[in-house]
């Protein structure tokens, strides 16, 4: 796949060169042929069978908008995005028509996962899509997780657990702010919040485990998500009543969700999204596509990459790094892929895992690097401009970075470009407290 920006890759991605299942040597015996044909179903059919499980979201559907880009003749100088105008097409032509006609003028697509839930960010909803039924089927009573003071993940867990009658225990880094607002306010309203000193928070795994045992008490049980996934699969996804009965004898069943839901089981909801987007009437399975996403923990980006490989799609995933170094993100990618293999190898055909190696995601710096959580002067005004022109609200910490890159790539004669809009707009309330002067808009 050709790229025409400074982010050009030097070699094809691991998942782009995939053999057809039916070109493999089947062996000479009839039984060998039968077994090979059985295990070498078309990729999309095998993935569909693998994803046949309970989900939190009623359907994987999401809206897709097309953003048309034009030069703003009335703007001279200033920031890059300030020199452009945007027009939102809320009902773009997709499928075969997209492949024939949509590169006639600069544009990119926006996958509107920001609309999935009023209080839960889209990427959080996708991660929890598979996790929440896993908790319910395991008779979990309490959930322990962690995040920053304005953690969208913590708020998502608190809201989603409360909607299902589960108790959430949120360990937030730092001190309680004088005024509760944004995600911090939502977390406090829906969950049980404890503020943790930064020195203790630095040892997240130890901190989470200790607090989970405190919540469980003497006769409760503590689980990781990997434990729950493995246990349910060992008892069968559809028949684990005896397993559940054994758990319900305990007064409390406490599950630990890692920061940002950076767990292998959370990747399944993202795979479900990729399967949905690859339908023929949407982006399809043959269209070259560049998916752009902002990266907090990087879990969603890795899930997108895994989904593209498992379905054999000619898609590339580019993630704008926000909260770590490239070394940190690459280690996270390697860890998630390893955990995914460990959890699901028994349930996926070997050919599905071809190309499933680190290097699925292209990690890039944001255009104006800064410390995570900080914003620069003028970025709030850019978000305001985009909101007024398109009706799409971005936030300057996360999604503005993805919009910037999608805009740049959308002006090039390359593959189609699609930004996954993860949400994040509740964070604007917290930012308005910290950067009051940036929000003094006349």
């Amino acid at each position: 796949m050709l790229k025409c920006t400074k982010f050009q890759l030097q070699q094809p991605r691991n998942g782009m060169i995939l053999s057809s299942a039916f070109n493999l040597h089947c062996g000479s015996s009839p039984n060998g042929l039968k077994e090979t044909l059985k295990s070498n179903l078309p990729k999309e059919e095998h993935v569909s069978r693998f994803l046949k499980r309970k989900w939190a979201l009623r359907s994987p559907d999401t809206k897709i908008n097309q953003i048309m880009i034009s030069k703003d003749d009335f703007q001279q100088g200033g920031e890059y995005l300030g020199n452009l105008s945007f027009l939102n097409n809320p009902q773009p032509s997709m499928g075969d028509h997209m492949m024939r006609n949509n590169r006639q003028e600069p544009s990119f697509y926006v996958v509107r996962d920001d609309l999935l839930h009023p209080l839960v960010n889209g990427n959080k909803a996708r991660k929890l899509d598979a996790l929440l039924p896993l908790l319910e089927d395991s008779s979990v009573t309490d959930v322990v997780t962690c995040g920053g003071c304005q953690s969208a993940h913590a708020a998502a867990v608190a809201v989603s657990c409360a909607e299902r009658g589960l108790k959430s225990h949120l360990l937030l880094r730092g001190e309680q702010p004088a005024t509760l607002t944004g995600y911090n306010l939502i977390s406090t309203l829906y969950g049980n919040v404890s503020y943790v000193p930064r020195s203790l928070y630095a040892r997240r795994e130890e901190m989470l485990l200790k607090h989970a045992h405190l919540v469980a008490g003497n006769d409760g049980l503590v689980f990781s998500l990997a434990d729950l996934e493995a246990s349910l699969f060992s008892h069968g996804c559809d028949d684990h009543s005896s397993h559940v009965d054994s758990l319900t004898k305990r007064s409390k069943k406490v599950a630990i969700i890692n920061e940002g839901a950076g767990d292998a089981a959370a990747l399944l909801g993202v795979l479900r999204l990729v399967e949905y987007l690859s339908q023929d009437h949407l982006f399809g399975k043959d269209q070259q596509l560049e998916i752009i996403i902002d990266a907090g923990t990087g879990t969603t980006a890795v899930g997108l990459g895994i989904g593209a490989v498992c379905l054999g799609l000619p898609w590339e995933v580019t993630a704008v790094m926000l909260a770590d170094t490239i070394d940190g993100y690459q280690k996270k990618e390697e860890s998630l892929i390893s955990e995914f293999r460990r959890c699901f190898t028994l349930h996926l055909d070997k050919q599905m895992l071809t190309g499933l190696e680190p290097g699925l995601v292209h990690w890039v710096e944001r255009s104006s690097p800064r410390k995570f959580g900080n914003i620069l002067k003028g970025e709030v005004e850019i978000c305001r401009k985009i909101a007024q022109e398109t009706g799409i609200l971005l936030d300057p910490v996360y999604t503005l970075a993805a919009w910037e890159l999608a805009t740049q790539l959308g002006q090039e004669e390359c593959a189609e470009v699609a930004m996954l809009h993860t949400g994040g707009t509740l964070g604007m309330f917290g930012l308005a407290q910290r950067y009051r002067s940036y929000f003094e808009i006349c």
Side-chain angles (χ1 to χ4, degrees):
M1 178 175 175
L2 297 177
K3 302 267 296 210
C4 40
T5 73
K6 64 179 181 179
F7 301 122
Q8 182 173 353
L9 296 177
Q10 300 302 315
Q11 56 186 4
R13 296 185 185 240
N14 294 332
M16 294 300 105
I17 304 177
L18 296 168
S19 301
S20 170
F22 297 99
N23 288 334
L24 298 175
H25 178 62
C26 295
S28 56
S29 69
N31 288 338
L33 175 61
K34 180 179 179 181
E35 288 301 313
T36 302
L37 290 176
K38 179 180 178 181
S39 64
N40 287 323
L41 295 168
K43 281 180 173 287
E44 57 270 22
E45 184 176 343
H46 193 104
V47 170
S48 293
R49 292 188 177 189
F50 172 61
L51 295 179
K52 192 174 182 180
R53 57 186 291 150
K54 294 181 180 179
W55 300 100
L57 295 174
R58 181 171 299 180
S59 78
D61 297 14
T62 187
K63 293 182 180 296
I64 300 175
N65 295 170
Q66 185 181 19
I67 305 302
M68 319 306 293
I69 308 168
S70 62
K71 296 286 185 180
D72 192 338
D73 296 332
F74 300 101
Q75 292 283 346
Q76 298 293 330
E79 296 294 329
Y80 168 67
L81 292 183
N83 296 329
L84 300 174
S85 292
F86 302 97
L87 178 65
N88 184 7
N89 176 8
Q91 295 181 319
S93 298
M94 305 292 289
D96 292 339
H97 186 77
M98 177 188 74
M99 298 179 67
R100 292 194 300 268
N101 301 319
N102 276 1
R103 295 304 298 174
Q104 294 180 354
E105 55 184 304
S107 69
F108 63 93
Y109 295 90
V110 179
V111 179
R112 299 296 308 276
D113 267 12
D114 58 310
L115 302 178
L116 291 180
H117 191 287
L119 299 176
V120 177
N121 282 12
N123 59 325
K124 314 304 180 188
R126 294 295 179 184
K127 295 175 188 178
L128 294 172
D129 196 12
L131 295 187
L132 292 170
L134 181 62
L135 300 178
E136 292 175 315
D137 287 349
S138 301
S139 296
V140 166
T141 59
D142 297 74
V143 173
V144 175
T145 192
C146 65
C149 185
Q150 285 288 350
S151 170
H153 160 71
V157 170
V159 172
S160 300
C161 284
E163 289 176 344
R164 289 160 178 80
L166 305 177
K167 294 182 179 179
S168 62
H169 307 267
L170 316 173
L171 305 179
L172 302 185
R173 181 182 62 248
E175 303 76 29
Q176 178 177 333
T179 302
L180 304 184
T181 187
Y183 292 113
N184 182 254
L185 174 60
I186 297 301
S187 295
T188 304
L189 292 175
Y190 283 83
N192 300 289
V193 170
S194 299
Y195 294 91
V196 180
R198 288 170 173 78
S199 58
L200 179 61
Y201 193 92
R203 302 188 299 274
R204 291 168 181 76
E205 292 184 4
E206 177 184 336
M207 173 192 72
L208 286 170
L209 185 60
K210 183 177 180 180
H211 195 80
H213 279 291
L214 183 65
V215 172
N218 294 330
D219 59 348
L221 289 174
V222 173
F223 303 91
S224 69
L225 292 180
D227 293 335
L228 294 178
E229 185 75 30
S231 179
L232 286 186
F233 268 117
S234 68
H235 287 79
C237 289
D238 299 318
D239 183 19
H240 50 269
S241 58
S242 61
H243 172 60
V244 171
D245 289 342
S246 66
L247 290 178
T248 55
K249 296 178 182 178
R250 301 297 187 111
S251 60
K252 285 192 176 183
K253 281 72 65 178
V254 184
I256 298 174
I257 298 180
N258 288 324
E259 183 180 39
D263 304 89
L267 299 171
L268 297 179
V270 186
L271 265 68
R272 189 188 185 204
L273 170 63
V274 173
E275 182 190 39
Y276 168 78
L277 294 175
S278 68
Q279 293 180 94
D280 293 338
H281 69 285
L282 297 177
F283 292 120
K285 300 175 181 62
D286 301 317
Q287 170 70 51
Q288 289 187 330
L289 185 68
E290 181 80 20
I291 303 180
I292 309 299
I293 185 172
D294 51 273
T297 62
T299 304
T300 304
V302 175
L304 292 170
I306 290 176
V309 166
C310 287
L311 283 164
L313 303 172
W315 296 5
E316 294 190 354
V317 180
T318 299
V320 186
M321 301 182 295
L322 303 179
D324 205 345
T325 63
I326 187 169
D327 183 59
Y329 279 111
Q330 288 174 340
K331 288 181 179 178
K332 180 66 174 181
E333 179 183 2
E334 183 177 359
S335 173
L336 280 172
I337 291 174
S338 176
E339 187 182 352
F340 183 85
R341 281 181 169 275
R342 181 172 60 84
C343 288
F344 303 116
T345 294
L346 293 177
H347 318 288
L348 283 171
D349 185 87
K350 288 184 179 180
Q351 201 236 350
M352 304 301 299
L353 301 175
T354 301
L356 194 58
E357 304 291 343
L360 301 180
V361 180
H362 189 204
W363 306 100
V364 301
E365 295 278 358
R366 68 190 305 166
S367 59
S368 301
R370 83 291 300 273
K371 185 178 178 181
F372 178 66
N374 289 1
I375 64 176
L376 302 178
K377 186 176 181 179
E379 290 182 331
V380 174
E381 186 60 36
I382 290 295
C383 289
R384 177 172 179 258
K385 169 185 169 66
I386 293 169
Q388 292 182 347
E389 292 179 350
T390 68
I392 298 176
L393 184 58
L394 305 175
D395 82 284
V397 173
Y398 287 95
T399 50
L400 179 60
W403 184 283
E404 288 174 337
L405 183 55
T407 299
Q408 179 180 337
L409 297 180
Q411 296 178 85
E412 305 287 350
E413 292 295 332
C414 302
E416 298 291 351
V417 177
M419 169 194 165
L420 178 58
H421 191 347
T422 56
T425 51
L426 273 178
M428 295 285 267
F429 294 90
L431 292 174
Q433 280 188 321
R434 293 180 56 196
Y435 299 93
R436 293 180 61 181
S437 62
Y438 291 177
F439 286 81
E440 293 174 354
I441 301 173
C442 298

